[in-house]
Amino acid sequence: MLRKIIISFLKWILLIIILFFFLFPVYWLVTTAFKHSQDWFSWPPVLIPRSLTLENFTGQARGFEGSLSSSIENIVPYLKNSLIIALFTSLFCTIISASAAYSIARFKTGGRRLASWIVSIRMLPPISTVLPIYILFRNLKLLDTWWAVILMHLVFTIPFSTWVLISFFNGIPKELDEAAYIDGASIWKTFLYLILPLSAPGIAAMATLAFIMSWGEFLIALILTSSPRSQTLPIFLGRYITGFRIAWGPLAAAGLVTMIPVIVFSFTMQRYLLKGLTFGAVKY
Amino acid sequence: MRKYLVFLMFVLIFILGPNLQAQKEVVLNVWSSPDNADALTDIANRFMQKYPNIKVQVTPISWEVLYPRMLADVATKTGAFDVATWDVMTAGAVAPGFVDLEEFRKQNPDLVDPKWDPKDFDPTIWHIAGIWAGKNIGIPFYCNTMLFYYRKDLFNDAKLKAQFKAMTGKTLKVPTTWEETIDVAKFFTKKFNPNSPTDYGIALMFPRTHTLFYMYLLFFAPYRRSPEGIKKWGEVDLDYGDYFTADKKPAFNSPEGVKALEMMKALMPYSPDPLGSDYGETLEYFAKGTVAMVPQWTGVWANFKVAPALQPFDKKVGVAMMPSGRSVSGNWALGLNIASKNKREAFLFIQFATNKENDKIKFMKFGVAPSRLSTVRDPEVRKADPRVSVFLETIKTQSHRPRIPEEPKLEDITVGAFSQILLGERPNTVEELNKIADEWMKILKK
């Protein structure tokens, strides 16, 4: 009995330590977003702010006129750009990689080499491709548009998603496809109405990952965009690193706004993760 | 299924369509360092009222990102921006990407504002933030320099004055040499004076970044610019700066260069975490009342002004020239991209942004240091801000970093080596500085 209590106690301690390790940065970001400027940098650090303020969001504590680097009042266009780019990257990535993965998994399209080649694209550092792409996109008049970023984000999200979904489709018994063919379903129908619902957890996970990858990507967005017309949130955050300070409060406030859509998207997709698991089919 | 696809198509066209539309009005894309962005946005709003057919879009880009992005555009001639603020030390590297404005004025006399007075800029500022290889590649916009901020209330405190006299036999005053700074900084450091009202005397920033590269000049330039220094190394070349001799060879690998590092080391015990602090940290140390003195850029004034620990502000914060009288320049200029498709409109904007009226407005409203002598001499401006009189003296005597294209490489080598010397990992000797100078020469000969 005592041994059980000790083990349970130790488990709780370990859990608290792990949770602290992962959640403290989030707590710090949230509190800093509402801290007065004198509490951003203090020793000992202010763990629990004595008073909260919205000045990092509204830019009222700037000491001079103007608030571009002392508030988040100009965040909306960047938020919109990020949302559109990440959502469409996620959507296109899901459609393309699910189709590609099904084709490779079921019909061995391209043999073993195609699957290996797809994953090898992930090994290419983005910086090595982004400069030639920059010149190519310049000639195509695509620079500083959402399309430029979406297309480039697809380059690194599709291989990863395809690779993972191949394994996922391989896990779904082939007998299900064959049963559908006997009932007169075409390949497309089988894929759309039978395999896709069954693989919903995998696809939801991939869509979420593609969204997160696109949402947080900095380098490509930095090189291919040059104005608020298409710049994303990671680029927006750079404005708080000024020539003489890092505005930690507004940076945390903008970070908080940056985090929220990812959390919302992940929770929305969680529903499908569970739904896919309980969809009527052969269970093992 | 089909109706879903049709719906999706409509959504795509609705959302992505406008993004691909060709724009009918002239849109100027202005890339700005965050420090200048608010002032430029304000100027842009007034410019758009004057020229309704031109839309100006100011994009703040962090210092670390702005320079490489500009270099990428210079290399590819894409025209991703029309106008940009460029940092003085990047002049040589970005010059090929900017229009010669002198030539442009000659070719487009119809655009030239007769009231725009080029002689109203300090000649040195005009050169370092405007001229490269004989071409006018920019107009000075943010005439940044380092000033010496101190706690006026502490230096005026009779009790502290008496204590200082008792401790050192000297009068407590704002230091005018680095040697005097050591005494004062020690007095204001609790470890050496338990009665000190501040924890430390001075906030120094010697991190392993570009900050260390210019901070060194505060200590080396007094030697470099002294009559003996001029005799030994010749006049300072404005492209190569105070690190070099007149014949473009390193000057810091000398006994004077060693002394400068010795002085930096001597001050370190009186500063909170000098090797780990940068702008933000030193700014906060002073703003919170942790230190009595801080050498910092002009822009920090706005932060000090609202710091609760520094109220009442006019009684607590004073500003002086750098001890030993040598500051370091940190100017920003406005340049016109050679690949811009809207050069005439961009020129109009630069001209408007740098005219006398806007030079004054941007300083009074946003604290962006003035570039024009008329602003610095303006009685209203001088009355409004105690920095101005110090500022005018400082820009006449300040030192300069190299502006040559090799500057980033030289900086990399130097900050690494200087960091090791300040940490005591490398000896502070002329032989050691010679090693750095040899590496510099290898880069410069390539």
Side-chain angles (χ1 to χ4, degrees), chain A residues 36-110:
Chain A
H36 291 280
S37 61
Q38 62 267 27
D39 291 340
W40 302 344
F41 267 82
S42 52
W43 193 258
V46 179
L47 290 170
I48 300 160
R50 286 174 293 271
S51 66
L52 300 176
T53 178
L54 286 173
E55 66 196 23
N56 299 322
F57 295 85
T58 57
Q60 284 157 344
R62 47 189 176 259
F64 54 89
E65 287 195 44
S67 56
L68 285 175
S69 59
S70 61
S71 82
I72 62 162
E73 64 180 24
N74 298 85
I75 203 168
V76 175
Y78 299 86
L79 184 63
K80 181 183 135 191
N81 294 337
S82 269
L83 273 171
I84 287 164
I85 287 166
L87 280 170
F88 279 98
T89 300
S90 176
L91 178 73
F92 294 147
C93 171
T94 306
I95 293 167
I96 296 165
S97 56
S99 313
Y102 183 67
S103 171
I104 292 166
R106 284 289 186 267
F107 310 107
K108 306 297 173 215
T109 309

Side-chain angles (χ1 to χ4, degrees), chain A residues 164-185:
Chain A
V164 174
L165 286 175
I166 289 169
S167 314
F168 209 88
F169 290 137
N170 281 335
I172 296 170
K174 214 173 174 178
E175 289 80 357
L176 287 173
D177 300 49
E178 288 160 359
Y181 299 153
I182 289 164
D183 288 342

Side-chain angles (χ1 to χ4, degrees), chain A residues 183-243:
Chain A
D183 288 342
S186 64
I187 291 171
W188 266 111
K189 266 200 170 158
T190 307
F191 176 59
L192 286 173
Y193 297 108
L194 180 70
I195 303 301
L196 274 188
L198 283 174
S199 54
I203 287 172
M206 280 310 102
T208 309
L209 279 174
F211 182 90
I212 292 167
M213 278 182 195
S214 173
W215 186 263
E217 197 283 325
F218 176 77
L219 184 73
I220 288 165
L222 171 72
I223 303 284
L224 300 179
T225 64
S226 56
S227 76
R229 242 159 50 97
S230 62
Q231 282 182 327
T232 56
L233 282 170
I235 313 302
F236 175 85
L237 296 179
R239 68 176 54 198
Y240 301 112
I241 303 161
T242 76

Side-chain angles (χ1 to χ4, degrees), chain B residues 101-174:
Chain B
L101 295 168
E102 184 56 44
E103 202 54 42
F104 192 88
R105 278 189 287 267
K106 282 177 193 165
Q107 288 168 4
N108 299 274
D110 59 311
L111 299 179
V112 177
D113 175 5
K115 289 184 195 159
W116 194 89
D117 180 8
K119 301 228 170 351
D120 189 30
F121 294 92
D122 175 88
T124 305
I125 300 298
W126 178 258
H127 182 95
I128 63 164
I131 306 293
W132 181 262
K135 290 179 179 170
N136 178 202
I137 59 159
I139 307 295
F141 181 74
Y142 180 19
C143 194
N144 205 5
T145 189
M146 286 194 88
L147 301 170
F148 194 72
Y149 300 94
Y150 63 93
R151 284 287 299 276
K152 205 196 282 187
D153 58 324
L154 303 182
F155 279 89
N156 291 336
D157 188 307
K159 217 163 91 180
L160 290 171
K161 279 175 179 264
Q163 280 177 17
F164 187 77
K165 187 86 178 170
M167 261 179 82
T168 64
K170 297 169 188 171
T171 306
L172 178 64
K173 62 180 181 65
V174 179

Side-chain angles (χ1 to χ4, degrees), chain B residues 36 59 63 66 86 120 177 205 262 286 301 327 418 441 445:
Chain B
N36 296 303
T59 308
W63 190 93
L66 182 59
W86 54 263
D120 189 30
T177 66
M205 42 186 189
E262 265 169 19
F286 190 78
W301 189 253
S327 181
F418 281 5
M441 289 314 288
K445 279 172 185 167

